[in-house]
């Protein structure tokens, strides 16, 4: 008897749970539908377009399927490889600088210095400056005729004649990287600063008692404690930097002679200068796969971290 | 089980109805006005034309239009000028079946929008009125034998030169160069002590300033068939070599100019006497007038060769393919581009594209503006093909830049560009 009662009771519970699951699914449905319509559907459409020939300025050609033509054309284009190489340099250097500068700034601003609140606010200025304003200001600063950077370098005698920073093949990419790192390091600094403030003081006291030097307590207390934040910040800045378009577009448009061409400017030119939507879709699929790789590497290493 | 299926269906229907509601467009407010209802016109203009909001000259002029056309309501939407900010925004909206009724379009965009089938042909509506505008401005809007835009303002390229610098270099400040060789020797004489004879918007590779030289020597971008590149033929190459040598071998252009992309940068170069000569349009005149400079300067026609030629820029009014008020839209365009509104062009300090623009106050009273006006006779629009921007950005500019920055051979670079142009024109 007792077992039967138990069984029905368990039955009821199981049924209730099933129903709850269905309710859960139903409640998630709207979100899924929206996700589908604004992310998955465009993504699939983009994937389909990447196998079509779509020249907007030649509508009479129709939009025939051309197999892997767009991908083959892209991968055979030497400018694509130049853009891919530049994207790697651009992303690695800028993210490295952003995290490095952010870490240093966060450590400094975490110290009990006078006017700390003021400096914390002051540091945010590049981050809150509109991108257009920042890029155009830096363009003027880099100008070979009127720019303050050349003026200062000439004054202190580091260079004997002005350098055309944005117009010289070897300096243009690093010039735009400097602007981008300056503009975006405050985000990393704020994230790291927040993480630094969650480290309990006892950890440092314990390290101190154990006779750890300043460097040792930094390496064995500070770094492990802020590592999850560092990783997440690095992932976010990597995605943002990889996808950044306006900085380079406003400063050089990828020039001179593709010296600052990155994949975002390359895909923009395919889509809105050549109006070749099929090729542009193909390039963006390639870019998506690249970023997807970064995210997978991150989730793997983050998973290991937790385990 | 049944109950559950029903509740699931109801819920899904509910969700779908919400989503469907989102997708549905709100009732179109610009449907054709049957009786008593107003036709609503949305017009995009470059933000500089609407700087003062309702007090902007174009809005003031339109008041008169409203009085005689109470059944039409005009709304202006100022939009930042630029390919990505303005043209692409329109392309996206119009491709989605929407967008404004009328836009002011840069003349190089007109064939592109026409090829994409996003604007209406206006040949019939315009009729004989096309003779009221300079031929070059009508040519600029003519694509596949149809006129797609009504000319509004015209920007013409002339030579700006520093008279004081001419005097200091032992040149006659009242005799600006009239031939290529005179130009080159003047530029060389003006280049000394950190100052340069010539400057340009080098961030674009110089293709913008190159076109007049190229045309003056009889060069053409495409051959008669309109399908094959012709700019690397003998006449074309002679002009291109002359022009690119100014930028490289002759050394009369400052290196700094190779990053300049905006009129502000060119203005600064000229105003600080870094460069003594520049090819510029109306906007450069305006910008220089607004600066205090301690030297004398003037404008002159560009130096000529076999023929005379100058680049013609400017804006056209075009009507969206999706507009439900095409007639009302054309009525307004006809009004705004009429002779009665030349005064509005004065307020903007712009040259009208009308052949009677010389009755504008700013032209009558300014000898310099007459130089611009006279150049209208031979001013030419950039090649009137949808592919021009792509050809310019993807083949000619990179070719020039490879010569300027990487020391590439001019002939080889232009031949390579010509091959790419053939591919573009073939739709490959």
């Amino acid at each position: 008897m007792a077992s039967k009662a138990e069984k029905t009771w368990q039955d009821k519970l199981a049924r209730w749970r099933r129903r709850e699951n269905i309710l859960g699914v139903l409640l998630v449905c709207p979100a899924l539908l929206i996700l589908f319509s604004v992310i998955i559907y465009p993504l699939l459409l983009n994937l389909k377009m990447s196998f079509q020939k779509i020249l907007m300025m030649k509508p009479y050609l129709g939009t025939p399927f051309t197999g892997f033509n767009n991908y083959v054309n892209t991968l055979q284009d030497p400018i694509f490889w130049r853009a891919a190489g530049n994207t790697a340099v651009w992303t690695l250097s800028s993210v490295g600088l952003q995290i490095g500068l952010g870490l240093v700034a966060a450590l400094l601003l975490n110290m009990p210095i006078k006017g700390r609140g003021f400096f914390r606010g002051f540091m945010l200025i590049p981050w809150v400056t509109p991108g257009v304003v920042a890029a155009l200001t830096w363009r003027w600063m880099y100008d070979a005729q009127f720019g303050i950077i050349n003026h200062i370098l000439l004054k202190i005698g580091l260079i004997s004649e002005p350098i055309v920073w944005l117009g010289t093949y070897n300096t243009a990419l690093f010039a735009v990287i400097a602007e981008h790192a300056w503009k975006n390091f405050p985000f990393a600094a704020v994230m790291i600063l927040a993480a630094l403030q969650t480290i309990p003081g006892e950890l440092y006291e314990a390290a101190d008692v154990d006779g750890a030097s300043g460097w040792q307590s930094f390496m064995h207390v500070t770094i492990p404690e802020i590592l999850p934040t560092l990783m997440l910040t690095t992932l976010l800045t990597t995605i943002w930097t990889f996808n950044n378009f306006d900085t380079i577009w406003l400063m050089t448009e990828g020039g001179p002679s593709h010296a600052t061409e990155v994949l975002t400017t390359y895909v923009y030119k395919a889509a809105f200068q050549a109006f070749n939507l099929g090729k542009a879709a193909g390039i963006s699929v390639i870019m998506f796969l690249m970023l997807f790789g970064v995210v997978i590497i991150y989730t793997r290493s983050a998973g290991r971290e937790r385990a | 089980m049944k109950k559950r299926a029903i509740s699931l269906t109801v819920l899904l229907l509910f969700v779908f109805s919400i989503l469907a509601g989102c997708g549905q467009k709100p009732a179109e407010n610009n449907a054709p006005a049957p009786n008593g209802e107003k036709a609503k016109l949305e017009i995009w203009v470059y933000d500089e034309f609407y700087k003062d909001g309702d007090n902007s000259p174009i809005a003031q002029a339109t008041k008169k239009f409203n009085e005689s056309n109470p059944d039409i309501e005009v709304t202006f939407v100022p939009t930042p000028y630029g390919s990505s900010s303005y043209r692409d925004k329109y392309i996206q909206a119009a491709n989605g079946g929407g967008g404004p009724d009328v836009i002011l379009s840069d003349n190089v965009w007109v064939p592109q929008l026409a090829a994409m089938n996003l604007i209406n042909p206006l040949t019939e509506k315009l009729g004989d009125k096309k003779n009221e505008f300079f031929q070059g401005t009508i040519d600029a809007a003519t694509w596949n034998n149809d006129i797609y835009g009504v000319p509004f303002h015209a920007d013409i390229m002339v030579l700006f030169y520093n008279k004081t610098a001419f005097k200091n270099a032992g040149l006659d400040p009242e005799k600006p160069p009239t031939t290529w060789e005179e130009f080159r020797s003047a530029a060389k004489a003006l280049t000394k002590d950190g100052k340069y004879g010539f400057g340009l918007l080098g961030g674009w590779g110089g293709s913008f300033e190159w076109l007049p030289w190229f045309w003056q020597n009889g060069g053409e971008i495409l051959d008669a068939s309109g399908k094959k590149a012709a700019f690397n033929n003998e006449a074309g190459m002679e002009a291109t070599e002359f022009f690119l040598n100014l930028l490289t071998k002759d050394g009369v252009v400052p290196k700094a100019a190779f990053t300049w992309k905006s009129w502000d940068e060119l203005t600064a170069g000229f105003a600080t006497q870094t460069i003594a000569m520049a090819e510029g349009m109306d906007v450069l005149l305006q910008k220089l007038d607004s600066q205090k400079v301690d030297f004398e300067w003037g404008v002159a026609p560009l130096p000529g060769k076999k023929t005379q030629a100058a680049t013609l820029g400017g804006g056209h009014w075009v009507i969206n393919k999706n507009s439900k008020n095409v007639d009302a839209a054309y009525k307004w365009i006809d009004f705004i581009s009429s002779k009665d509104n030349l005064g509005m062009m004065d307020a903007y300090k712009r040259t009208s594209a009308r052949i009677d623009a010389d009755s504008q106050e700013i032209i009558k009273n300014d000898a310099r503006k007459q130089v611009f006006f006279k150049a209208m006779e031979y001013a030419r629009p950039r090649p009137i093909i949808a592919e021009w921007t792509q050809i310019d950005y993807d083949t000619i500019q990179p070719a020039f830049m490879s010569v300027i920055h990487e020391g590439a051979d001019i002939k080889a670079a232009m031949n390579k560009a010509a091959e790419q142009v053939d591919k573009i024109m073939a739709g490959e």
Side-chain angles (χ1 to χ4, degrees), chain A residues 74-131:
Chain A
T74 302
L75 296 175
Q76 278 177 349
D77 184 357
I79 297 166
F80 167 79
W81 293 104
R82 210 187 266 192
N86 284 343
T87 305
V89 174
W90 155 261
T91 309
L92 290 175
S93 318
S94 182
V95 170
L97 279 172
Q98 285 174 50
I99 300 294
L101 283 173
L103 185 61
V104 171
L107 288 170
L108 290 176
L109 292 175
N110 199 37
M111 292 195 301
I113 47 169
K114 238 185 184 174
R116 190 166 66 170
F118 170 76
F119 286 119
R120 281 182 181 171
F122 191 72
M123 179 196 67
L124 287 174
I125 287 178
W127 176 252
V128 297
T129 309

Side-chain angles (χ1 to χ4, degrees), chain B residues 74-119:
Chain B
V74 178
T75 316
F76 291 102
V77 180
T79 310
Y81 171 82
S83 288
S84 47
S85 54
Y86 191 99
R87 182 198 60 179
D88 298 351
K89 213 173 146 186
Y90 173 75
I91 291 175
Q92 282 162 19
N95 256 323
D101 297 278
V102 175
I103 72 164
L104 179 60
S105 163
D106 190 304
N107 65 3
V108 284
W109 302 335
V110 176
Q112 298 169 1
L113 300 177
M116 290 180 205
N117 206 10
L118 298 178
I119 52 178

Side-chain angles (χ1 to χ4, degrees), chain A residues 124-138 179 182-184 244 246-247 250-251:
Chain A
L124 287 174
I125 287 178
W127 176 252
V128 297
T129 309
V132 181
V133 176
L136 295 183
T137 310
W138 277 73
E179 193 272 355
W182 168 84
K183 174 89 180 68
N184 292 292
N244 182 281
D246 50 350
T247 305
L250 287 166
M251 290 181 77

